[in-house]
Amino acid sequence: MAAMKPRTGDGPLEVTKEGRGIVMRVPLEGGGRLVVEMSAEEASELGDALKGVVN
């Protein structure tokens, strides 16, 4: 039987390349993680959009 692990939002933002896609795991306030898979082009567009908001 697999070990039961608590699902918490604690932990860093993680971004990894898996196969041809990029997977981003974002911790959530209420616990758990938002997992988004995107292409390299979509990741670039997301980066540009975030930079536009922050700067």
Side-chain angles (χ1 to χ4, degrees), residues 20-46:
R20 290 192 276 177
I22 295 171
V23 177
M24 177 175 65
R25 293 173 180 86
V26 182
L28 300 175
E29 284 261 333
R33 289 181 175 264
L34 171 66
V35 179
V36 180
E37 184 173 356
M38 62 192 93
S39 67
E41 182 181 330
E42 292 168 326
S44 179
E45 291 173 7
L46 175 61

Side-chain angles (χ1 to χ4, degrees), residues 44-55:
S44 179
E45 291 173 7
L46 175 61
D48 292 341
L50 290 171
K51 286 176 189 173
V53 172
V54 173
N55 294 329

Side-chain angles (χ1 to χ4, degrees), residues 3-20:
M4 296 291 287
K5 296 181 181 178
R7 301 192 116 180
T8 66
D10 296 338
L13 170 81
E14 296 176 15
V15 180
T16 57
K17 184 167 178 157
E18 296 183 11
R20 290 192 276 177

